Amino acid sequence: MIYAAEKFDFPKLPFVFIRHGETDANRAGIIAGSNEPPLNDTGREQALAIAPLMARASWRAVYVSPQDRARTTANLVLPDYEARVLDGLRERHWGDLEGRPIAELCPRFDTPPNGEGFDAMCQRVSFAMQQALAEVSDDLTVIVAHSGVARCILYMTGFEADGPRVPNATPILFRPVKSGWEYENLTETLIKEISA
């Protein structure tokens, strides 16, 4: 078996990933995919709550999915940065399953009817990450996208694609290490360390 990290051309540079804030679809356990549910009040509050934390660091750039829930999150979390849209960071297209309960999702590596396969999604996410991380800098890049994009990133860095969803509006630091990759939720202490 080929490990995921060997199947995709994924840049070996640290970055911060933030999943968009909560939407009503998230709250109700509905597959949103390519649909455009806006952030709900909780989602806006989640994004605003981490803004002071994120403002304590200097960031090289912010890249964002073209979908509204991600763009709104980026604007609330990092209002002083112009978020650059990368189409490859959009959520997986779940085809006929969109609008259905999450319990009806097909297995991760199956292609949903009239939807997008997981490997195809990871290929476009890989290309988007190459664009976002093309420039080496002392400051980290921030990616604001979706849980499906997070699953691709986890898969491409050698972790399991299945498992708990990445929480809404939580900055997660991904960094390469000798043995591969590690990731962790950022705390105020970590923010101080990476911006020092």
Side-chain angles (χ1 to χ4, degrees), residues 60-80:
R60 184 188 75 77
V62 179
Y63 288 91
V64 66
S65 158
Q67 292 176 264
D68 181 69
R69 57 193 183 269
R71 288 186 293 112
T72 300
T73 300
N75 291 336
L76 291 171
V77 172
L78 292 162
D80 294 335

Side-chain angles (χ1 to χ4, degrees), residues 59-183:
W59 308 102
R60 184 188 75 77
V62 179
Y63 288 91
V64 66
S65 158
Q67 292 176 264
D68 181 69
R69 57 193 183 269
R71 288 186 293 112
T72 300
T73 300
N75 291 336
L76 291 171
V77 172
L78 292 162
D80 294 335
Y81 288 80
E82 181 180 345
R84 304 174 194 178
V85 173
L86 284 176
D87 187 64
L89 296 176
R90 70 187 182 280
E91 181 58 287
R92 184 175 181 179
H93 192 297
W94 284 98
D96 296 350
L97 300 179
E98 293 190 358
R100 306 294 305 156
I102 286 176
E104 296 181 19
L105 280 175
C106 62
R108 179 88 33 219
F109 294 93
D110 290 357
T111 300
N114 298 309
E116 180 179 27
F118 187 67
D119 271 6
M121 180 187 182
C122 288
Q123 288 290 352
R124 68 168 163 83
V125 171
S126 172
F127 181 68
M129 292 300 293
Q130 290 170 47
Q131 293 175 283
L133 300 177
E135 183 182 328
V136 178
S137 170
D138 289 339
D139 294 331
L140 297 182
T141 297
V142 178
I143 307 294
V144 183
H146 310 271
S147 64
V149 173
R151 289 186 189 281
C152 282
I153 289 171
L154 287 165
Y155 182 61
M156 291 185 290
T157 54
F159 298 98
E160 290 291 327
D162 290 312
R165 289 173 173 239
V166 170
N168 293 102
T170 301
I172 298 172
L173 173 65
F174 282 82
R175 58 182 161 215
V177 293
K178 286 183 181 179
S179 59
W181 284 83
E182 64 182 14
Y183 69 95

